[in-house]
């Protein structure tokens, strides 16, 4: 069977190229699209992610603001920080790096982000709009998965998509987006009793479970498309790549698959938000 | 196989009985739980529904306000009406009867309802909260389906639930609620290519498609539980009842199944909202 390796770097480059002119036009009009990232605590991989996002902004001529709060930060202090960024007209997108320390009410913090600046797609309001089909900023990894399918012209309508995982920023929104594109969608999770059998039905498999090499090769129906949204320690995906490659018709690698596209979607959402702010003024 | 007919009237009575004391306590404190219904236009079946809801309120000692707007009402006029009800402290729940005339932006009208008064579960904000697991007022028919499963002690965790339909107030939220109760959930719809095969996998079937007698008897796996959320003209469900009865272990009839429980959930949500308003003051 012919295989297609779904190269996320190509997709990300195409997204970023499409943003260049938009960023330039905004700058001409006196607006530099700006992403504010908030990091609470000293988790080294979170720091790496935040730095990557900041650099990606700058490379495109956008601005990034990094706010680093101590690991003792209270929910109230974090809410104040978010409120200030909500009110700051020069900030177009706000990203609160997940996870936050355990004393913080993460949901409350996410939901404090102004929906117009929720470029990372974490508010429950934004989730509702996305699931009902008119959200502006779906979570970035689900948006990246849809972008990859679109870029490689993989049909979705009428296909059976099986999503493994149901987190608020990954499994749930990607299920919703696939459903809105007319896939029949099954959402599986840790309590699913017959996972292998269900995955075997899938035309499109989305792994969003957070367990390294979890999806097995003999679960994949011949010809299925496999998208790996996992990012486990050591840059290992949720999919046993070599094994799943055998039956799949198309598959994303890790690294170089969903990850780079996720960051490009964050940039796109921030540019979208900056353009919207211009319209609003 | 032993059959269980899931009698919604018993479930509705149990819900309404549990509300009586709560309504009396609120009235003692000077608050009569009040549902405002808005009907736009002269659709006779919509009028019947609105009247039924009003009567159900009064029977329980609650108040109901009926607002009847002409079929020429504009979106702006409807939004003004909703805004007044949002600001009226004596109103605890607002229900905009669906469908509204075509000149009205229904989504805009739904989303104008204050989330604290969205007892019918129609706002996208409320949908997001429900899907993410902490919504106060899921849509009433999905809430009714969950209540029936709970009342008859039908296990959900680890079961495969297949929902046919994906509307914002039925298929989508019932899929979300079943997922949050740890079912593996497949959402099907008009573009699903192999519907019969998928329904045959289901331990729990929810029909929310709006087509009379659509679900066929030979689609039902022996022992499956069948819930019919359909309400088509002539009081006919979405499920071919006699045919589906054969293989099912439990099934809701139409009428007398999901319908009566839906109204009782609306009453419960209105009492919940009245209690919350008391706490807030």
């Amino acid at each position: 069977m012919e295989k297609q390796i779904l190269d996320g770097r190509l997709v990300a480059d195409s997204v970023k190229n499409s943003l260049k002119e938009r960023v330039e036009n905004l700058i001409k009009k006196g607006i530099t699209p700006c992403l504010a990232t908030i990091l609470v605590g000293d988790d080294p991989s979170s720091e790496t992610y935040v730095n990557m996002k900041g650099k990606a902004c700058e490379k495109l001529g956008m601005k990034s603001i990094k706010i680093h709060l101590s690991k003792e930060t209270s929910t109230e202090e974090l809410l104040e920080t978010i409120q200030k960024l909500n009110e700051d007209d020069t900030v177009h997108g706000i990203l609160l790096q997940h996870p936050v320390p355990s004393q913080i009410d993460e949901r409350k913090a996410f939901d404090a982000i102004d929906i117009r600046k929720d470029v990372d797609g974490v508010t429950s309001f934004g989730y509702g709009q996305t699931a009902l089909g008119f959200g502006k900023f779906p979570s970035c990894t689900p948006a990246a998965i849809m972008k990859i399918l679109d870029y490689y012209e993989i049909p979705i309508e009428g296909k059976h998509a099986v999503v493994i995982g149901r987190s608020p920023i990954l499994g749930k929104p990607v299920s919703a987006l696939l459903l809105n594109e007319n896939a029949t969608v099954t959402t599986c999770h840790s309590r699913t009793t017959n996972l292998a059998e269900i995955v075997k039905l899938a035309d499109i498999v989305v792994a969003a479970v957070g367990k390294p090499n979890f999806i097995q090769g003999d679960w994949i129906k011949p010809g299925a498309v496999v998208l790996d949204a996992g990012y486990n320690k050591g840059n290992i995906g949720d999919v046993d790549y070599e094994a799943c490659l055998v039956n799949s018709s198309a598959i994303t690698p890790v690294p170089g698959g969903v990850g780079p596209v996720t960051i490009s979607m964050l940039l796109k959402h921030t540019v979208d938000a900056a353009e919207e702010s211009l319209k609003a003024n």
Side-chain angles (χ1 to χ4, degrees), chain A:
Chain A
M1 194 176 295
E2 210 192 325
K3 309 276 166 211
Q4 190 162 34
I5 308 304
L6 305 171
D7 187 339
R9 290 162 304 188
L10 294 181
V11 184
D13 284 346
S14 132
V15 173
K16 284 189 265 185
N17 284 334
S18 76
L19 295 177
K20 277 183 190 159
E21 200 182 326
R22 293 171 61 192
V23 171
E24 282 166 18
N25 281 337
L26 282 163
I27 291 175
K28 275 183 206 156
K29 289 173 185 158
I31 290 178
T32 307
C34 173
L35 174 70
T37 59
I38 308 172
L39 174 65
V40 189
D42 306 305
D43 180 60
S45 51
S46 289
E47 254 186 277
T48 307
Y49 289 132
V50 163
N51 287 336
M52 272 168 67
K53 290 163 187 171
K55 274 182 200 157
C57 282
E58 281 150 31
K59 226 170 156 178
L60 217 66
M62 294 164 59
K63 208 177 140 188
S64 81
I65 297 175
K66 270 184 256 181
I67 294 170
H68 195 157
L69 302 175
S70 83
K71 66 178 193 291
E72 289 84 17
T73 302
S74 68
T75 301
E76 286 64 35
E77 287 163 337
L78 178 55
L79 291 178
E80 268 175 45
T81 301
I82 292 169
Q83 196 48 42
K84 271 185 208 153
L85 294 171
N86 282 342
E87 288 163 10
D88 184 341
D89 287 343
T90 67
V91 168
H92 306 101
I94 301 171
L95 179 143
L96 172 60
Q97 183 65 40
H98 168 90
V100 293
S102 59
Q103 78 277 7
I104 289 176
D105 183 339
E106 184 179 79
R107 175 45 53 198
K108 203 168 180 179
F110 278 158
D111 278 342
I113 297 172
D114 186 322
I115 192 162
R116 291 166 297 182
K117 300 189 179 187
D118 179 24
V119 292
D120 200 29
V122 297
T123 61
S124 49
F125 192 14
Y127 174 76
Q129 297 192 339
T130 292
L132 299 186
F134 56 94
K136 284 195 175 140
F137 308 129
S139 309
C140 292
T141 304
I145 288 167
M146 302 309 287
K147 193 72 199 173
I148 291 170
L149 291 169
D150 175 56
Y151 182 89
Y152 285 102
E153 297 179 350
I154 293 168
I156 302 171
E157 178 159 326
K159 301 296 177 187
H160 191 166
V162 173
V163 175
I164 306 110
R166 55 170 167 173
S167 72
I169 53 166
L170 227 174
K172 283 181 178 177
V174 79
S175 296
L177 291 171
L178 288 162
L179 182 64
N180 289 343
E181 291 296 322
N182 298 321
T184 301
V185 179
T186 302
T187 311
C188 300
H189 45 80
S190 56
R191 311 295 173 87
T192 295
T193 44
N194 49 345
L195 184 60
E197 272 172 63
I198 291 177
V199 176
K200 278 176 195 170
L201 302 169
D203 303 306
I204 299 171
V205 178
V206 178
V209 68
K211 291 182 185 169
N213 293 326
F214 182 72
I215 308 296
Q216 303 298 302
D218 60 356
W219 300 1
I220 305 301
K221 182 168 80 172
V225 175
V226 179
L227 296 138
D228 187 348
Y231 47 101
N232 306 290
K233 267 184 189 163
N235 239 332
I236 295 167
D238 287 351
V239 168
D240 186 342
Y241 181 79
E242 293 300 335
C244 290
L245 186 64
V246 179
N247 277 345
S248 66
S249 63
I251 188 166
T252 57
V254 173
V258 174
V261 191
T262 297
I263 294 188
S264 75
M265 295 317 292
L266 177 67
L267 301 176
K268 179 187 175 293
H269 291 168
T270 306
V271 174
D272 290 344
E275 287 177 349
E276 282 297 321
S277 79
L278 190 65
K279 276 188 221 163
N281 286 333

